[in-house]
Every structure is written in C-alpha cells, then in structure tokens.
Amino acid sequence: QVQLVESGGGLVQAGGSLRLSCAASGGTFSNYHMGWFRQAPGKERRFVADISWSGSSTYYADSTKGRFTISRDNAKNTLYLQMNSLKPEDTAVYYCAAGARNGPIETIRSLGRYEYGYWGQGTQVTVSS
C-alpha cells in the first residue's frame, strides 16, 4: 500500500556527514512506524534506528547512537536519517522500511521495536578513510 524511495546516499570521507531521505507515497504516512536498516557487502541486513508513527519516540542501534539521528516530517511524508562522524564501517546500502502502526511488535530488541512490511530499494553510502 505504501511505496518508499530512499535518496541522499553518496561518497563521503570519514568524519563527514550525510543526510538520507525516504519519501513515502500511496499510503497515509502517519499510519506507519518507520525504520532504517543497512546491509554491507557480504553481510546480513542490520537494524540502524526507528521512530514511532508520531515521531514521539526513537530507538537506535548501539553502533549509531550518538552519531545518527532519525526524524520524520509527517506533513511531507518523509523520513530522514542524519549521519554525523561517519566511519568506514558505516559503508552499506541503507534501506528505509514501514511497519503498520497497529501491527506486530518486534520482540528481539537488537532488531528494533517494530516489524516491517514495506521496504525501499536502498541507497548506497560509502565512507572512505
């Protein structure tokens, strides 16, 4: 029901910053909790951060807490991920995802707080040394 398109990826040097965006369409944006995930070459997809449907609460993976900030603008149907102090190990394809506001709740904390039914195509982030 909802389509997601990521943008803002690119090449940045270590210590730099990048802001990713995820534009949603085809559904009511505020009906969904939102999350960011990433997948490095040869590795499994891992949780980065999530935000509740209203933006009232956020949750971060330990590897990104203090450096990354997740936010959303429901009036613009857009999710954001501000990434500061980037490290080479942040290099990955970044995906945004949407989970139903009243849908299942994730029970494994390392995977975030929600379960997701919709995914974007991903945007590449490369951090050089």
Side-chain angles (χ1 to χ4, degrees):
Q1 287 194 297
V2 61
Q3 290 74 235
L4 306 173
V5 180
E6 302 94 336
S7 62
L11 175 64
V12 64
Q13 293 187 352
S17 298
L18 210 58
R19 190 191 195 194
L20 305 183
S21 298
C22 173
S25 62
T28 303
F29 189 54
S30 61
N31 282 348
Y32 300 95
H33 302 301
M34 300 295 296
W36 286 101
F37 293 76
R38 65 187 183 185
Q39 186 170 23
K43 305 294 183 180
E44 63 184 4
R45 184 178 297 177
R46 301 190 68 175
F47 168 76
V48 174
D50 66 40
I51 187 167
S52 61
W53 68 272
S54 67
S56 63
S57 68
T58 58
Y59 184 73
Y60 296 89
D62 288 342
S63 60
T64 61
K65 189 174 183 179
R67 299 188 299 122
F68 290 10
T69 302
I70 187 171
S71 63
R72 66 191 295 162
D73 187 338
N74 285 353
K76 296 182 178 180
N77 293 342
T78 303
L79 173 74
Y80 303 98
L81 183 67
Q82 178 66 48
M83 304 184 293
N84 298 325
S85 302
L86 283 163
K87 305 174 181 180
E89 50 263 45
D90 294 320
T91 295
V93 176
Y94 283 70
Y95 300 88
C96 67
R101 178 175 169 178
N102 297 315
I105 299 174
E106 177 61 62
T107 59
I108 304 174
R109 188 159 296 182
S110 63
L111 301 180
R113 298 178 295 173
Y114 314 117
E115 293 187 353
Y116 301 90
Y118 304 93
W119 297 82
Q121 84 292 341
T123 185
Q124 177 70 48
V125 172
T126 303
V127 184
S128 62
S129 300

